[in-house]
Amino acid sequence: MALEFLNTGLVPRLPTAVLATGLVMLSALAATCGLILDTIALGRREMKRVAYLNHPAPLRA
């Protein structure tokens, strides 16, 4: 479809082009959200580790 557009300058199946554009936009949005959520989860994991390391070690008898 992209090659045909480049050759003729026309889009013969407009609904297919709109669907393809929507799917590409949706996949880019999902990838961006996934990256943001992964970064947030990593930050929270690190904060838990820092909070854990702030506690003193138990005394041994």
Side-chain angles (χ1 to χ4, degrees):
M1 185 162 71
L3 292 176
E4 190 171 348
F5 172 73
L6 291 174
N7 290 335
T8 63
L10 300 173
V11 179
R13 293 180 298 274
L14 186 63
T16 305
V18 170
L19 177 65
T21 303
L23 289 176
V24 167
M25 290 175 59
L26 196 60
S27 66
L29 180 65
T32 304
C33 288
L35 184 63
I36 291 170
L37 289 172
D38 185 57
T39 305
I40 290 171
L42 179 66
R44 288 186 178 185
R45 232 177 296 143
E46 289 294 322
M47 291 305 294
K48 284 181 185 177
R49 287 183 184 139
V50 168
Y52 175 75
L53 290 174
N54 281 333
H55 291 291
L59 299 175
R60 295 189 184 237

